[in-house]
Amino acid sequence: MKARPAARAAMLTGIGLVLAFLYLPLVPPVLFGAGGYAGIRQNPILVDAVRNSLLLAALTALVTPPLALLGAMAVRELRVPRLVLLVLLLPLFVPGVSMGLATAVFLKLLGVTPSLRTILLVHVMWTLPFAFLVVLAAMATFDPVYLEAAYVLGAPRLRAFLDVELPLIRPGLLGAASLSAIVSLNETIRTSLVQGPLNTVQTYIWTTYLQVGLSPSLHALMSLLIGLTLALVAVLLVGKGRRGRVVTG
């Protein structure tokens, strides 16, 4: 039964208002940052922050998916799947300030000096639950009968996984990597508590805004981050679409 014109118009209006509420705040950085892009390259502290953020995002995207894969396999293979789920998803429910402070104190007790490695540790801890859910969803679409067929044909366990299951869940792993990079690029609170003298783009934006307010360079930087995040989201959606075609193909 089709909706009446008045109901359809009300529905479209509601959707339009929701989209405006979500995306209109992203417009000012793009408009006000037009003259600030040159200032980014002229600020050595900001250039270092950009390099740190890109490096951390790349490393997080490399480190997190294999750990998420191990977690998803533990859910399937071990007899305590709920416990594994609880352990891996628990960081989602721990407040960011508490998690960051606890990690900072723990590293200080161990005598670990703040560095890119400590920031990477926090980023992996925070991105792992998200990547784990993506990989777990990808593995849920895989039919174990293919592995059983490989075992019957004499393939060892590792070879069966590498040749049969891994190609089918690879889009999920790529999606987990993209999501990990997105979360890493946008992480602020936990990073600020373990970064020491280093900066990421997000911590630079936050501290600069608190000290001097917004500037064309900050608007330009925010617009670049928005564009990069949208590009990574597009990669994530493409990976999801490929996974769907693999499953239905």
Side-chain angles (χ1 to χ4, degrees), residues 10-216:
M11 180 179 65
L12 293 176
T13 301
I15 294 174
L17 290 174
V18 171
L19 292 176
F21 176 77
L22 290 174
Y23 295 108
L24 278 180
L26 304 181
V27 175
V30 178
L31 295 179
F32 299 148
Y37 293 101
I40 295 177
R41 291 181 295 179
Q42 298 171 359
N43 187 334
I45 298 177
L46 180 52
V47 170
D48 287 341
V50 172
R51 289 174 179 169
N52 291 338
S53 289
L54 293 177
L55 178 60
L56 286 165
L59 291 175
T60 304
L62 288 174
V63 173
T64 307
L67 298 177
L69 176 61
L70 291 175
M73 294 184 69
V75 171
R76 185 176 66 184
E77 301 293 337
L78 300 182
R79 297 182 180 180
V80 286
R82 293 184 180 180
L83 179 60
V84 177
L85 283 170
L86 176 63
V87 170
L88 289 175
L89 297 182
L90 189 59
L92 293 177
F93 306 100
V94 178
V97 174
S98 299
M99 183 177 178
L101 281 174
T103 305
V105 172
F106 180 70
L107 293 174
K108 185 176 181 180
L109 292 175
L110 294 178
V112 178
T113 304
S115 63
L116 284 177
R117 288 178 295 181
T118 59
I119 302 176
L120 177 62
L121 174 64
V122 170
H123 283 202
V124 171
M125 290 170 59
W126 177 229
T127 58
L128 181 56
F130 299 100
F132 165 70
L133 290 175
V134 173
V135 176
L136 190 65
M139 291 183 64
T141 63
F142 175 76
D143 192 343
V145 70
Y146 296 120
L147 287 179
E148 297 296 334
Y151 298 152
V152 170
L153 294 175
R157 191 180 186 89
L158 179 60
R159 176 56 59 186
F161 170 77
L162 293 176
D163 290 347
V164 178
E165 184 173 9
L166 184 59
L168 295 178
I169 66 172
R170 185 179 292 118
L173 292 173
L174 295 177
S178 299
L179 185 58
S180 298
I182 292 171
V183 176
S184 174
L185 284 171
N186 291 283
E187 164 52 30
T188 305
I189 296 177
R190 298 162 185 81
T191 304
S192 65
L193 295 170
V194 299
Q195 68 182 26
L198 301 175
N199 270 307
T200 64
V201 171
Q202 293 292 354
T203 60
Y204 177 87
I205 291 175
W206 180 242
T207 55
T208 304
Y209 169 73
L210 293 178
Q211 294 172 3
V212 300
L214 291 174
S215 65

